[in-house]
């Protein structure tokens, strides 16, 4: 399979080698051909895609285009899109057509980027395999018996199979980086507050952050230029300058210090994974960076803290789904409590209910201090471990996941083993730091991801490291057979 | 901390989730397992640690109290399960007797 990059499509559009309508049709055809099997999209709206492609072509002809005008991408079905269904992977919102756009959607629209469709995901972004989706599991194009990761599994599978040149995702505990690792593509989770959460359906508000799936660091940088920025409509948006993320891609890595947390190379990590990650890190030494062992001593408490904070915030956020103003409503409620209880029991799937209950318990009278407050204190320790580590090193590296993609159904009956597939990504969300996963080789013919973590708002540094690695290696150009 | 079926019933009601008896048996061990993982936090003393709500230590921005939203009632109610004369309809809450 030969694939196109965002950079090459943008160039072809600017030089009029191809029109937006043509390139949009190309991907719509690929979706038609391959997605019956993969199930990476929940909604594909051809008419809307083609009409924005036409508008983009007119803009390009008028000479007023943004560098990405006319480029088609996929959007995770968690971003509200005016007039097009936004399901969040749930029966609860199967009938929901948002009356407004998420700021991310507005930003892409303003740049003239075309939306191909809305991608499959774990229900309300709660899951690590895409199996909790109301619309059925999405498959990993590298081996359709395995999961594409989650929660943004549809986005990762769509990009890996070249059904879209790039896609958005959201990451609360690893939901961009883990699927990117499982499907052999790049996945960036920016600093908390870098990308607006307005209109991005909330799961755990203090952890959720929107981000990007793409083939290369360069493509990721071009898209982050559109997606990042201050938004008055998001009260946790941070007002810091947005640099040109493509500007530093070619900087030398000479003299840069890489920290390897010894806790990331622990008993959970598969041996062949560990060897492949060490090989990837050697490439950075060849590029002039030095490697140092560091410690993040509270790492093993990140899963415990996360499984209090995320469910607690989810139970609060999902209280809004009450069957009154929008979303699923049960038939013939006998009174108001019955309306709430049956609408919610019918509208939410098992994993979502499990997390709502854990969160409700953790926040209930008498338990708040023991669970939520305790978890927020542990969160402080985890954050401070990173702060201290960054006094000595520029960037932290390790595996994105403890293993390659697992089989569909393998962990579905055991929530705890599913939760542990995010052990290396969760602490980054708790600390609010930016992180990226890039393709770094294969174990048993399945892709693996290298995770890189930088200080706050240093996305440029992550992209610089990623681009230099991709200049020296070609793992990111590998594609699955059959597409 | 060990949970009982009565706890699950209470939690489900607090969360406004209808919970058939059969489901309680299923959720009980699952929630129990999750809480066991969570209780690893108790291995460390955090009595002198400040809780962190925002990792960047930022607080919520304030803004001037200006009207910024326009009235979009009709637009919002188009997607409601049941409305009448601009009102959301729910089952009777107070008896008229």
């Amino acid at each position: 399979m030969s694939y196109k990059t965002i950079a090459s499509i943008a160039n072809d559009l600017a030089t009029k080698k191809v029109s937006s309508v043509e390139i949009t049709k190309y991907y719509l055809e690929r979706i038609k051909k391959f997605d019956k099997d993969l199930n990476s999209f929940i909604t594909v709206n051809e008419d809307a895609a083609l009409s924005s492609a036409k508008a983009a072509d007119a803009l390009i002809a008028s000479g007023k285009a943004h560098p990405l005008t006319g480029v088609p991408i996929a959007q995770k079905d968690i971003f509200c899109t005016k007039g097009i269904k936004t399901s969040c992977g749930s029966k609860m919102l199967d009938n929901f057509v948002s009356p407004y756009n998420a700021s991310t959607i507005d930003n892409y629209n303003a740049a003239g980027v075309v939306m191909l469709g809305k991608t499959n995901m774990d229900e309300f972004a709660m899951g690590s395999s895409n199996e909790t989706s109301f619309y059925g599991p999405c498959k990993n194009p590298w081996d359709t018996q395995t999961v594409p990761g989650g929660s943004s599994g549809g986005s990762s599978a769509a990009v890996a199979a070249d059904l879209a040149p790039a896609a958005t995702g959201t990451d609360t505990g690893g939901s961009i980086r883990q699927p990117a690792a499982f499907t052999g593509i790049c996945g960036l989770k920016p600093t908390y507050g870098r990308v607006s959460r307005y209109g991005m359906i909330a799961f755990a508000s203090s952890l959720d952050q929107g981000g990007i799936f793409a083939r290369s660091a360069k493509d990721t940088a071009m898209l982050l230029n559109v997606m990042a920025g201050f938004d008055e409509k998001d009260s946790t948006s941070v007002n810091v300058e947005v640099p040109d993320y493509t500007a530093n891609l070619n900087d030398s890595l000479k003299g840069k210090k890489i920290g390897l947390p010894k806790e990331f190379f622990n008993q959970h990590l598969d041996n062949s994974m560990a060897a492949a990650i060490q090989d990837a890190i050697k490439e950075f030494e060849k590029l002039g960076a030095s490697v140092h062992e560091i410690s993040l001593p509270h790492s093993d408490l990140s899963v415990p803290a996360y499984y209090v904070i995320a469910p607690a915030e989810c139970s609060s956020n999902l209280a809004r789904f009450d069957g009154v103003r929008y979303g699923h409503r049960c038939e013939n409620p006998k009174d108001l409590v019955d309306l709430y209880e049956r609408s919610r029991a019918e509208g939410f799937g098992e994993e979502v209910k499990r997390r709502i209950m854990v969160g409700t318990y953790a926040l209930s009278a008498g338990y708040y201090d023991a669970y939520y407050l305790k978890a927020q204190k542990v969160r402080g320790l985890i954050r401070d471990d990173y702060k201290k580590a960054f006094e000595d090193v520029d960037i932290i590296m390790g595996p994105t996941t403890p293993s390659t993609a697992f089989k569909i159904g393998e962990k579905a009956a055991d929530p705890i083993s599913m939760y542990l597939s995010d052990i290396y990504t969760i602490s980054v969300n708790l600390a609010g730091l930016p992180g990226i996963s890039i393709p770094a080789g294969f174990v048993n013919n399945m892709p693996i991801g290298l995770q890189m973590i930088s200080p706050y708002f240093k996305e440029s540094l992550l992209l610089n490291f990623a681009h230099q690695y991709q200049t020296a290696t070609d793992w990111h150009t590998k594609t699955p057979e059959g597409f | 901390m060990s949970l009982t079926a009565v706890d699950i019933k209470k939690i489900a009601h607090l969360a406004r989730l209808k919970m058939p008896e059969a489901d309680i048996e299923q959720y009980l061990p699952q929630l129990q397992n999750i809480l066991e993982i969570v209780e690893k936090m108790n291995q460390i003393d955090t009595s002198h640690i400040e809780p962190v709500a925002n990792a960047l230590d930022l607080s919520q921005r304030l803004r001037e109290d200006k009207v910024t939203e326009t009235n979009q009632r009709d637009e919002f109610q188009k997607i409601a399960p049941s409305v009448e004369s601009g009102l959301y309809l729910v089952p009777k809450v107070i008896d008229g007797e």
Side-chain angles (χ1 to χ4, degrees):
Chain A
M1 173 180 96
S2 71
Y3 63 89
K4 300 174 200 306
T5 61
I6 293 290
S8 71
I9 295 169
N11 188 54
D12 288 351
L13 286 165
T15 55
K16 308 219 166 58
K17 261 171 76 183
V18 71
S19 71
S20 178
V21 168
E22 283 165 346
I23 192 73
T24 301
K25 277 187 178 161
Y26 169 82
Y27 284 107
L28 291 172
E29 283 304 315
R30 287 188 61 79
I31 293 167
K32 252 188 220 154
K33 191 167 168 197
F34 295 110
D35 207 45
K36 271 197 194 77
D37 188 36
L38 280 184
N39 198 26
S40 65
F41 283 86
I42 291 173
T43 302
V44 176
N45 189 323
E46 290 201 10
D47 293 343
L50 288 171
S51 88
S52 38
K54 262 182 214 158
D57 282 331
L59 203 62
I60 294 167
S62 76
K64 289 178 194 146
H66 177 277
L68 292 185
T69 301
V71 173
I73 68 167
Q75 299 283 356
K76 185 177 182 180
D77 206 20
I78 197 168
F79 292 100
C80 285
T81 46
K82 189 171 181 173
I84 292 171
K85 180 169 106 170
T86 301
S87 74
C88 219
S90 181
K91 180 182 176 185
M92 180 60 85
L93 293 178
D94 184 47
N95 62 2
F96 178 66
V97 178
S98 170
Y100 69 103
N101 277 333
S103 292
T104 280
I105 301 293
D106 275 340
N107 290 346
Y108 279 117
N109 284 346
V113 171
V114 173
M115 181 174 88
L116 292 165
K118 309 283 299 283
T119 57
N120 203 348
M121 55 181 284
D122 279 300
E123 185 180 7
F124 286 105
M126 297 175 204
S128 308
S129 67
N130 211 109
E131 290 168 291
T132 72
S133 170
F134 173 62
Y135 302 91
C138 168
K139 293 169 186 166
N140 188 327
W142 288 93
D143 172 359
T144 52
Q145 303 287 308
T146 68
V147 303
S151 67
S152 315
S155 288
S156 70
V159 174
D162 198 33
L163 306 190
T168 56
T170 58
D171 191 317
T172 304
S175 283
I176 290 175
R177 290 159 289 154
Q178 184 253 27
F182 279 6
T183 57
I185 57 171
C186 303
L188 173 75
K189 178 204 103 71
T191 307
Y192 182 78
R194 177 76 292 189
V195 164
S196 173
R197 293 187 299 107
Y198 180 76
M200 190 178 103
I201 296 172
F203 158 17
S205 300
S206 77
L207 305 166
D208 297 344
Q209 182 62 201
I212 294 153
F213 290 94
R215 285 268 163 212
S216 68
K218 187 175 180 194
D219 284 4
T220 308
M222 292 173 82
L223 291 163
L224 188 60
N225 278 347
V226 175
M227 205 169 173
F230 176 65
D231 183 9
E232 277 202 355
K233 289 188 269 190
D234 170 2
S235 65
T236 55
S237 176
V238 184
N239 198 353
V240 292
E241 198 192 339
V242 179
D244 174 0
Y245 290 105
T246 63
N248 298 93
L249 294 175
N250 293 313
D251 287 1
S252 163
L253 302 186
K254 279 206 176 64
K256 290 274 195 303
K257 289 183 180 168
I258 300 170
L260 302 186
K262 58 180 184 201
E263 293 82 2
F264 283 15
F265 294 86
N266 58 9
Q267 76 281 6
H268 293 292
L269 185 65
D270 186 273
N271 282 337
S272 38
M273 291 279 297
I277 293 296
Q278 291 294 354
D279 285 346
I281 288 160
K282 283 193 194 105
E283 284 296 332
F284 288 100
E285 288 184 291
K286 284 189 212 161
L287 290 164
S290 60
V291 173
H292 307 264
E293 187 183 275
I294 58 165
S295 176
L296 300 170
H298 298 96
S299 290
D300 62 330
L301 295 178
S302 57
V303 170
Y306 180 85
Y307 278 98
V308 173
I309 293 172
E313 295 182 9
C314 121
S315 75
S316 166
N317 274 323
L318 272 61
R320 74 192 58 174
F321 301 104
D322 57 4
V324 174
R325 288 157 304 153
Y326 54 89
H328 177 76
R329 179 180 211 160
C330 67
E331 298 281 343
N332 305 315
K334 68 176 193 321
D335 55 34
L336 195 58
V337 170
D338 186 43
L339 167 71
Y340 293 150
E341 291 194 341
R342 277 202 292 130
S343 298
R344 289 165 61 77
E346 293 167 10
F348 295 137
E350 296 297 308
E351 180 62 21
V352 171
K353 284 189 234 184
R354 203 152 37 228
R355 296 203 195 187
I356 289 176
M357 292 210 290
V358 170
T360 302
Y361 179 69
L363 293 177
S364 63
Y367 296 106
Y368 179 87
D369 284 4
Y371 290 107
Y372 194 66
L373 200 68
K374 177 89 186 179
Q376 284 192 315
K377 289 178 170 188
V378 172
R379 180 179 188 168
L381 293 170
I382 290 165
R383 192 256 329 254
D384 293 345
D385 283 353
Y386 275 107
K387 275 194 175 169
K388 194 161 171 288
F390 282 126
E391 288 171 11
D392 300 320
V393 297
D394 298 295
I395 196 164
I396 293 173
M397 290 189 193
T400 308
T401 58
S403 69
T404 57
F406 44 87
K407 293 258 187 292
I408 294 173
E410 186 182 325
K411 295 181 195 271
D414 180 3
I416 302 292
S417 77
M418 185 74 83
Y419 295 173
L420 290 174
S421 71
D422 294 326
I423 47 173
Y424 301 128
T425 46
I426 276 176
S427 61
V428 178
N429 299 77
L430 290 169
L433 293 164
I436 193 169
S437 177
I438 59 169
F442 291 83
V443 167
N444 297 327
N445 300 316
M446 291 301 283
I448 64 159
L450 171 75
Q451 180 176 217
M452 302 194 280
I453 305 157
S454 78
Y456 297 114
F457 298 105
K458 293 267 177 85
E459 286 82 359
S460 287
L461 184 76
L462 292 178
L463 294 163
N464 172 214
F465 266 80
H467 182 70
Q468 289 306 304
Y469 181 77
Q470 293 178 342
T471 307
T473 63
D474 64 355
W475 299 119
H476 66 293
T477 67
K478 306 289 183 203
T479 55
E481 277 172 35
F483 297 92
Chain B
M1 179 71 217
S2 103
L3 292 174
T4 63
V6 176
D7 294 324
I8 300 289
K9 251 185 218 172
K10 188 184 159 204
I11 297 165
H13 178 66
L14 285 173
R16 296 295 182 269
L17 290 167
K18 186 97 182 161
M19 183 73 44
E21 292 290 334
D23 288 5
I24 293 178
E25 293 305 313
Q26 183 201 328
Y27 281 111
L28 182 57
Q30 290 175 344
L31 263 59
Q32 191 69 52
N33 288 344
I34 295 169
L35 291 179
E36 263 169 40
I37 288 224
V38 158
E39 276 159 16
K40 281 192 191 146
M41 293 191 302
N42 296 329
Q43 291 166 0
I44 51 159
D45 175 20
T46 51
S47 51
H48 303 291
I49 310 291
E50 283 296 308
V52 167
N54 178 303
L56 286 77
D57 286 331
L58 298 172
S59 50
Q60 299 266 304
R61 275 193 325 278
L62 297 176
R63 62 166 175 82
E64 243 181 276
D65 188 17
K66 284 189 305 207
V67 177
T68 53
E69 291 290 329
T70 52
N71 182 356
Q72 299 176 69
R73 185 169 70 179
D74 293 346
E75 186 82 3
F76 294 160
Q77 292 197 336
K78 263 196 274 179
I79 52 171
S82 179
V83 288
E84 195 181 296
S85 319
L87 303 171
Y88 290 95
L89 295 191
V90 294
K92 195 152 82 172
V93 178
I94 301 164
D95 260 326
E97 292 296 311

